[in-house]
Every structure is written in structure tokens, then in C-alpha cells.
Amino acid sequence: MNPLISNRLRKSNLRKVKTDAADAYLLAELYYKEEFEPFKKRGVQLLNLRYLTRLYEALSKMCVQTKLQFQAVLDQVFPAYKGVFGAMYSNISLQFLNEFPTSNSVLQTDEDTLKAKMKELLSSKRGRSEDWIHLRVQRLLDAAKENPFQRTMYASHLVNLKVLISLILQYQEYLAGLEQNIDALAGEIEEYDLIQSIPGIGHKIAATILSEIGEVDRFDHPKKLVAFAGIDPSVFASGKFTATRNRITKRGSRQLRYALVLAVQCGLIRSRNTRIKEFYDRKRAEGKPHKVALVACANKLVHWLYAILKNKKMFRPSQ
């Protein structure tokens, strides 16, 4: 039974009563007054996939928060380090910063030692030439000389920096392992490849969409799937007044709603999805704001997904 319905019935009483007996009576009363559709049990495979994708999302958010704290500490210790490596959060970059967290530690080490340490950290990787290592070491020395904080006043900053580096490395390792498990589990599902036939939907987005929708047989109409994603417009009218600017309901699965909007944005980049780009441009030409046009595109995308999952046929970009 939908908890929104039962909660609304409980709040309809004048007296505020919350006991197990009162709740059981309200549920029984609701059952005999309303008509409900039979519950359709979900498959274990898709539920496992949903758990993994939601865990991946939760760990990603924690990793982002840790990176923000890391940047705040790095700005007070070694702000010039950001330009040394192309990807500051790569394993080699974080491990090297863990060994040489201050300008003083870099400048007190000779160039050959820095190169040897970088080669040691790169021992498990291939494709890094001597020129690449030499360029990074030169960048590191230049950054150490330009750094306004040659010596760190607070030793606690260094302790905090090392802890945050360790956490980021662990998060990245866990996320990489989770991503492999998600791909392996989703690869066993036929609809996983069918969904990815839509331009703009990659592995992560496809896994999230598939796990959140579940068995498409639970929805006998695409509009019900739209409502489940929470991207259907709300309706408000009272007397002679009818609202003309209505927000979306945002009911149902928040993860599915976010994945749909992200898929639309990816499809709009460089016009990867020509059909969604044409629909977006048409809505914008009608005077719709950017976010309203995005939601309209997400609504259109849900109808395509429903047809793909129902008919088990790939998406046709030309139609």
C-alpha cells in the first residue's frame, strides 16, 4: 500500500492518534474503501542492481565532499600543486603529494630523487616515458618555488591532508570495484544493451535507469512510468483560479529522475541525440525556459524507454 495514501488518511482524522491498533484499523478501512491493484513482486536481479547503483551514488557523494575538504586544506598548504599533474585526483598525483606535501619537502629533495620516487609510484603503470616524468618533476619544482606557503604554520593541516588523501584513494578504489560489479550484473540483462542504443545513455546511466524502473510490466501505460519518475506536472485549481505555472511532482524515484535529466543533457552535448536536440530546440522556440525544456525532453525519453522495454527493440535515431 502506498505510504502517501495511508499517511494522508491518518492525517484526515481530527484527533492525533498514533498506535499500532489505530494504524491497523486505518489500513483495513482504506483497503475496504478503495480499489487496489495486486502487488507485482520484483526480481532479485534488478533489486541487487538497484542496491549497487544507489550505493555507488552514495559513495560518489561522499567522495565529492571529501575532495572539497581536501581542496580547502590544499589551498592553505600547497595551492600551486594543482597544475603539476593533468588530473589532480589520479593515483600518482595523490600518492606523490602524500610523500611531498609541502614546498619545503620538495625543494630539499634533489631532482634525481624526485624522478626515482615518481618511477617507483609508476611501476605498476605503463606508457609513461622519461620525458613525461621529467616534465612533471620540473612542474613540481616550479610550483614549489612559486608557492606562497613555503612552510606550513599548522602541523594539523599536514595530518588532515594525509587523512583526506587516504580517504579519496579508498573511495576511488571502492567506486572502481563497484563499477565493475554493476557492469557485470547489468550485462546479464537483455534490456541493458537496448537502453544504451539511445544516444547519451552510457553504462552508468543505463544501469541506474534499468534498476529503478525494474520490470516494465508493473506499468500498463507510459504516463504511469512518467509519474513514477516524478516528472509529470502538478495540477492546481481552486474555484475560478487555475494555475498556469505548475512544478513537477517530484514523486517516485529520485534516482530515476536524476538519471533521466542527466541522459538528456548528455544527449544534447554536441547534438549526440538528434531527435532529443530537435525536440529541445522546438520547446525553446516556444518560449520555454531551459529547465522546463529539459524536463519535457526527459518526459519524451521516458516514452521511448517504455517502448524499448515493452517491445525489446533498439532505439532508431532517424525516426
Side-chain angles (χ1 to χ4, degrees), residues 80-97 114 118 121-122 128 132-133 135-137 139-140 143:
Y81 183 81
K82 295 179 180 179
V84 174
F85 291 87
M88 189 175 64
Y89 295 108
S90 62
N91 287 345
I92 176 64
S93 174
L94 293 176
Q95 291 175 6
F96 204 80
L97 180 62
L114 293 174
M118 190 171 295
L121 296 175
L122 287 169
R128 298 304 186 188
W132 187 91
I133 296 175
L135 178 61
R136 266 62 188 178
V137 171
R139 288 181 181 177
L140 180 64

Side-chain angles (χ1 to χ4, degrees), residues 138-177:
Q138 290 300 320
R139 288 181 181 177
L140 180 64
L141 292 173
D142 294 340
K145 294 175 183 178
E146 296 174 0
N147 186 28
F149 309 110
Q150 295 295 325
R151 293 182 179 273
T152 303
M153 182 179 298
Y154 302 102
S156 58
H157 285 344
L158 299 180
V159 176
N160 195 5
L161 190 67
K162 289 182 177 292
V163 171
L164 292 173
I165 289 175
S166 177
L167 287 175
I168 293 174
L169 290 173
Q170 290 181 8
Y171 278 133
Q172 290 178 347
E173 181 181 357
Y174 295 151
L175 289 172

Side-chain angles (χ1 to χ4, degrees), residues 19-191:
T19 63
D20 293 341
D23 291 343
Y25 181 83
L26 287 175
L27 291 175
E29 184 180 13
L30 181 62
Y31 174 77
Y32 283 107
K33 285 183 178 180
E34 301 285 345
E35 294 182 359
F36 296 98
E37 296 181 359
F39 174 74
K40 296 178 181 178
K41 188 176 181 180
R42 297 195 56 179
V44 177
Q45 190 178 31
L46 287 174
L47 287 176
N48 284 330
L49 183 61
R50 186 182 69 175
Y51 177 78
L52 290 180
T53 54
R54 290 188 177 185
L55 178 61
Y56 185 91
E57 180 190 6
L59 287 179
S60 298
K61 290 181 178 180
M62 295 168 66
C63 185
V64 169
Q65 292 299 321
T66 306
K67 288 180 179 179
L68 292 176
Q69 296 176 12
F70 166 80
Q71 289 183 5
V73 178
L74 186 63
D75 288 340
Q76 302 177 64
V77 177
F78 201 164
Y81 183 81
K82 295 179 180 179
V84 174
F85 291 87
M88 189 175 64
Y89 295 108
S90 62
N91 287 345
I92 176 64
S93 174
L94 293 176
Q95 291 175 6
F96 204 80
L97 180 62
N98 194 37
E99 295 288 338
F100 305 96
T102 63
S103 296
N104 191 32
S105 62
V106 173
L107 296 176
Q108 288 182 351
T109 309
D110 59 278
E111 186 174 342
D112 294 334
T113 304
L114 293 174
K115 291 181 179 179
K117 187 62 181 178
M118 190 171 295
K119 288 181 181 179
E120 179 184 346
L121 296 175
L122 287 169
S123 59
S124 59
K125 295 184 177 294
R126 299 179 181 178
R128 298 304 186 188
S129 62
E130 292 288 340
D131 294 338
W132 187 91
I133 296 175
H134 176 74
L135 178 61
R136 266 62 188 178
V137 171
Q138 290 300 320
R139 288 181 181 177
L140 180 64
L141 292 173
D142 294 340
K145 294 175 183 178
E146 296 174 0
N147 186 28
F149 309 110
Q150 295 295 325
R151 293 182 179 273
T152 303
M153 182 179 298
Y154 302 102
S156 58
H157 285 344
L158 299 180
V159 176
N160 195 5
L161 190 67
K162 289 182 177 292
V163 171
L164 292 173
I165 289 175
S166 177
L167 287 175
I168 293 174
L169 290 173
Q170 290 181 8
Y171 278 133
Q172 290 178 347
E173 181 181 357
Y174 295 151
L175 289 172
L178 265 179
E179 191 171 350
Q180 293 179 358
N181 291 328
I182 290 173
D183 290 339
L185 183 59
E188 301 175 357
I189 305 174
E190 177 186 1
E191 293 81 359

